[in-house]
């Protein structure tokens, strides 16, 4: 299966069911009164983590998700059926962002964790709720509240305890295939690995951890060169970094220069990565010039005063397995005390018992504009458009109520201030509903 770690989708929650206008008509019950029930709640869309998923492949071709609407209310005060919530499975490590606002809605890390991404609309009220001593038989009801609609960006960052970093062909895939049951592609050319591979490492002392072979870096990756952010994004989750450096010198590259370039790219992308526990792993020590290159490499690292800390250096040969098990044991030791990166921590809401009650004047955000094309006033805003959608325009009583709501919000005053005159047409934005302004 192809590895997909980014996707953009649109989710739409279900609309609430409509309330109805109904009256009680029963023998021997005089002046029965209103009896219209409420609509049911619309379904919400909920993301749920499934540990069996490893990719966002399911969202590549299916980009629109919709929940069911609630049922309409019934007579005898009966409430309409509420729609079931729609659950969508996502892999562990999925970050959910709102495309329009950039807000991070959630970081889904634990198996079974749930996140409500859009809420279903509440059901509209039936006329049983609008009875008053002044109006004991109201012909008023509400349409259901529209469900939320959002465009979401999903980013998958692999959940691995240990990340293998290094230039292409440094031996990352080979090491992973030796210490775990993973079967990454191994070949003698650059960028053999185009997506992260994950394997479970189990030691003889019953300790285990998850290791990820991450795609190779090149210089400029922090600015998007090569695999760029497709690689760097996945390093954010790792708690311990194994930095593999090719000691063979076959391609004429200086090991220390390669080592510093990788550190620079990591630091430019996220400085906190450099402060995590890491081990420098010289690889391909079975090659003829590797021992000589390692001596020089150790000297250059020891003389480098710009390093955050002097790293542990553990040379290995994945081909002969020399040094591999000591490296895995040291890695497990570091994991036992390694802190959890900030990007990995779930957000915990702080609840305070201290409450301050301040009077805040009610504010309504809306717009009033003159349309030269249609020669009419256009009023808009999320609150007004929601009120309109919940208004049953088939009944005069509910239209009159909508007009009172607009007046209470200050729309009439805003129209006068903008220059509206008696008899001007006024349109609700994004609708065909037009009414006449009366001063």
């Amino acid at each position: 299966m192809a590895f997909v770690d980014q996707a953009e989708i649109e989710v739409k929650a279900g609309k609430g069911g409509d309330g109805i206008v109904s009256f009680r008509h029963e023998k021997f019950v005089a002046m029965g009164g209103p009896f219209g029930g409420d609509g049911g709640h619309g379904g919400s869309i909920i993301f749920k983590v499934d540990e069996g998923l490893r990719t966002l492949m399911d969202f590549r071709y299916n980009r629109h998700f919709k929940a069911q609407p609630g049922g309409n209310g019934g007579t005898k005060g009966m409430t309409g059926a509420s729609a079931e919530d729609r659950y969508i499975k996502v892999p562990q490590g999925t970050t959910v962002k709102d495309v329009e606002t950039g807000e991070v809605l959630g970081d889904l890390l634990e198996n079974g964790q749930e996140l409500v991404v859009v809420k279903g609309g509440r059901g509209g009220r039936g006329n049983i709720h609008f009875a008053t001593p002044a109006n004991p038989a109201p012909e008023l009801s509400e349409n259901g509240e529209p469900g939320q609609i959002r465009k979401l960006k999903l980013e998958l960052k692999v959940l691995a305890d240990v990340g293998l970093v290094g230039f292409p062909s440094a031996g990352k895939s080979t090491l992973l295939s030796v210490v775990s049951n993973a079967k990454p592609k191994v070949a003698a050319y650059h960028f053999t690995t185009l997506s992260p591979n994950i394997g479970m490492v189990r030691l003889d002392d019953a300790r285990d951890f998850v290791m990820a072979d991450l795609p190779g870096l090149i210089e400029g990756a922090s600015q998007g060169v090569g695999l760029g952010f497709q690689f760097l994004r996945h390093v954010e989750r790792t708690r311990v970094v194994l930095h593999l450096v090719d000691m063979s010198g076959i391609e004429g590259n200086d090991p220390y220069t390669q080592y510093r370039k990788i550190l620079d790219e990591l630091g430019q992308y996220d400085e906190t990565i450099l402060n995590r526990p890491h081990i420098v792993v010289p690889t391909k020590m079975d090659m003829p010039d590797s021992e000589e290159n390692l001596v020089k490499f150790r000297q250059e690292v020891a003389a480098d005063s710009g390093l955050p800390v002097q790293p542990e250096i553990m040379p290995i040969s994945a081909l002969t397995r020399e040094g591999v098990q000591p490296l895995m044991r040291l890695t497990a030791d570091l994991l036992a005390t390694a802190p959890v990166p900030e990007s990995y921590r779930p957000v915990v809401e702080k609840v305070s018992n201290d409450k301050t009650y301040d009077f805040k004047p009610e504010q309504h955000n809306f717009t009033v504009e003159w349309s030269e094309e249609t020669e009419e006033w256009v009023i808009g805003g999320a609150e007004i458009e929601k009120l309109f959608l919940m208004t049953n325009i088939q009944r005069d009583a509910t239209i009159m109520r909508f007009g009172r709501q607009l007046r209470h919000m200050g729309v009439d005053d805003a129209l006068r201030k903008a220059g509206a005159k008696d008899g001007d047409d006024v349109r609700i934005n994004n609708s065909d509903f037009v009414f006449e302004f009366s001063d």
Side-chain angles (χ1 to χ4, degrees):
M1 180 182 293
F3 182 83
V4 179
D5 58 2
Q6 283 186 310
E8 285 196 11
I9 64 173
E10 182 179 82
V11 289
K12 182 178 181 180
K15 169 186 173 294
D18 298 338
I20 69 164
V21 173
S22 177
F23 294 94
R24 189 173 186 180
H25 299 285
E26 295 180 18
K27 192 174 183 180
F28 306 119
V29 180
M31 309 293 287
F35 221 17
D38 302 342
H41 285 278
S44 300
I45 293 183
I46 303 173
F47 285 175
K48 186 173 183 178
V49 176
D50 183 347
E51 64 181 357
L53 297 178
R54 289 288 181 268
T55 173
L56 296 175
M57 183 68 181
D58 292 343
F59 301 98
R60 170 170 282 185
Y61 303 109
N62 188 9
R63 296 179 181 270
H64 299 275
F65 298 86
K66 184 185 297 185
Q68 293 298 313
N72 295 335
T75 188
K76 299 183 180 180
M78 292 189 296
T79 301
S82 293
E84 293 185 359
D85 295 331
R86 182 173 182 181
Y87 287 84
I88 299 174
K89 295 179 180 180
V90 296
Q92 287 179 284
T94 301
T95 300
V96 184
K97 296 181 180 179
D98 188 300
V99 171
E100 295 180 356
T101 66
E103 176 189 4
V104 177
L105 303 180
D107 212 4
L108 301 173
L109 306 173
E110 304 295 333
N111 183 42
Q113 183 180 350
E114 296 181 2
L115 174 67
V116 180
V117 290
V118 284
K119 293 182 179 179
R122 68 171 177 85
R125 293 176 292 175
N127 69 331
I128 198 171
H129 292 282
F130 295 97
T132 65
N135 185 12
E139 294 191 8
L140 288 171
S141 67
E142 287 180 333
N143 290 340
E145 180 184 24
Q148 291 181 319
I149 303 175
R150 268 181 168 152
K151 290 184 177 180
L152 302 177
K153 182 176 182 179
L154 310 183
E155 290 187 353
L156 175 61
K157 302 171 184 177
V158 295
L159 288 179
D161 301 309
V162 180
L164 304 178
V165 304
F167 264 80
S169 297
K172 301 182 295 297
S173 298
T174 304
L175 176 60
L176 182 66
S177 66
V178 167
V179 299
S180 74
N181 58 354
K183 303 298 180 185
K185 183 178 181 180
V186 178
Y189 56 85
H190 289 187
F191 295 108
T192 308
T193 304
L194 297 177
S195 61
N197 293 299
I198 300 176
M200 175 66 74
V201 179
R202 291 184 174 86
L203 303 182
D204 296 338
D205 55 9
R207 292 185 294 176
D208 56 35
F209 53 86
V210 179
M211 178 182 287
D213 158 30
L214 303 172
L217 273 171
I218 62 173
E219 190 173 6
S222 59
Q223 282 76 46
V225 177
L227 296 177
F229 297 115
Q230 295 181 33
F231 157 77
L232 290 165
R233 182 170 57 254
H234 299 290
V235 185
E236 295 178 25
R237 302 289 195 195
T238 58
R239 297 167 55 202
V240 173
V241 178
L242 300 188
H243 188 160
L244 275 61
V245 184
D246 183 358
M247 283 291 129
S248 66
I250 293 177
E251 299 181 7
N253 296 318
D254 178 57
Y256 176 73
T257 301
Q258 290 186 318
Y259 169 67
R260 285 299 304 181
K261 284 181 179 179
I262 296 294
L263 285 185
D264 291 342
E265 296 302 327
L266 292 175
Q268 290 177 35
Y269 179 74
D270 185 353
E271 290 185 355
T272 63
I273 296 175
L274 299 180
N275 297 324
R276 298 177 194 174
H278 72 283
I279 305 172
V280 177
V281 184
T283 61
K284 304 181 183 180
M285 293 305 298
D286 52 286
M287 301 299 289
D289 297 328
S290 295
E291 288 294 344
E292 182 180 344
N293 292 334
L294 177 60
V295 173
K296 179 183 177 184
F297 178 77
R298 287 183 182 275
Q299 294 172 347
E300 290 173 320
V301 171
D304 192 339
S305 59
L307 297 175
V309 292
Q310 279 294 319
E312 182 82 24
I313 299 178
M314 295 197 67
I316 65 164
S317 169
L319 183 64
T320 65
R321 311 293 175 91
E322 182 180 355
V324 171
Q325 287 306 311
L327 172 63
M328 294 299 102
R329 286 193 288 271
L330 177 59
T331 302
D333 293 341
L334 291 178
L335 274 174
T337 58
V340 178
E342 288 297 326
S343 62
Y344 193 97
R345 300 179 192 273
V347 177
V348 179
E349 295 184 1
K350 295 182 179 179
V351 180
S352 174
N353 294 324
D354 299 330
K355 295 183 178 179
T356 303
Y357 297 93
D358 294 328
F359 172 76
K360 295 182 179 179
E362 191 175 10
Q363 294 183 344
H364 303 283
N365 296 320
F366 57 85
T367 59
V368 175
E369 298 177 350
W370 172 255
S371 172
E372 294 288 350
E373 182 179 352
T374 58
E375 295 186 348
E376 62 188 5
W377 296 96
V378 179
I379 58 175
E383 187 176 0
I384 287 179
E385 292 172 21
K386 177 181 173 181
L387 281 176
F388 172 70
L389 290 173
M390 296 183 68
T391 299
N392 182 355
I393 61 175
Q394 303 301 320
R395 292 185 174 272
D396 292 339
T398 54
I399 293 177
M400 296 290 289
R401 178 172 178 261
F402 179 57
R404 292 193 297 272
Q405 290 173 320
L406 294 183
R407 189 176 302 114
H408 175 73
M409 292 172 60
V411 174
D412 285 14
D413 293 337
L415 283 167
R416 290 190 191 96
K417 188 176 180 180
K421 298 181 177 64
D422 197 25
D424 285 353
D425 288 336
V426 182
R427 180 186 297 275
I428 305 297
N429 190 32
N430 296 325
S431 78
D432 296 327
F433 183 73
V434 179
F435 62 92
E436 190 175 283
F437 179 68
S438 179
D439 193 357

